[in-house]
Amino acid sequence: MAHEKHQQLIQTLHECMAACNHCYDACLKEEDVKMMAECIRLDRECADMCAFLEQSLTRNSPFSADLAAVCAKICEACGNECQKHDHHDHCKECAEACFKCAEACKEVA
């Protein structure tokens, strides 16, 4: 299968998507949700992009490298925002997943 060469990236994208979705949900439950607004927005953006790139890789899209470059940029933005809230475990874990994913995406971009 064509996507086998990207199996590690596909796994990393899936893990990042899951971390972002978990962070998104947990941020919505924080006391000061307004303070978490940018984190919540970027969590959604990042999770959606990771899922889209994952699908693109599994269907051997000719745009995968371009999408990986965009995904890396979004993952870095999300990781940077989550890092600001690293006193929350969900944000700390999300930042780590985002930075790992950004690096993996850059290798394909």
Side-chain angles (χ1 to χ4, degrees), residues 45-56:
E45 193 86 26
C46 192
D48 289 348
M49 187 64 211
C50 287
F52 187 74
L53 179 55
E54 182 180 352
Q55 291 176 29
S56 296

Side-chain angles (χ1 to χ4, degrees), residues 16 20 23 27 35-36 38-43 46 71-88 90-103 106:
C16 186
C20 286
C23 188
C27 284
M35 184 187 77
M36 305 303 289
E38 186 65 6
C39 191
I40 292 166
R41 187 187 69 74
L42 285 167
D43 282 337
C46 192
C71 191
K73 188 174 182 178
I74 294 170
C75 285
E76 283 183 352
C78 188
N80 286 333
E81 181 62 30
C82 283
Q83 217 170 28
K84 295 176 186 176
H85 310 285
D86 67 357
H87 53 282
H88 299 298
H90 55 86
C91 287
K92 184 177 181 180
E93 291 166 13
C94 188
E96 290 169 6
C98 287
F99 291 138
K100 178 181 176 184
C101 193
E103 290 306 310
K106 287 177 187 176

Side-chain angles (χ1 to χ4, degrees), residues 2-16 53-54 57-58 100-101 103-105 107-108:
H3 69 275
E4 287 177 346
K5 68 179 180 176
H6 297 297
Q7 195 56 46
Q8 185 59 47
L9 176 55
I10 290 168
Q11 181 64 35
T12 302
L13 287 162
H14 193 78
E15 290 169 2
C16 186
L53 179 55
E54 182 180 352
L57 290 168
T58 61
K100 178 181 176 184
C101 193
E103 290 306 310
C105 286
E107 292 177 16
V108 173

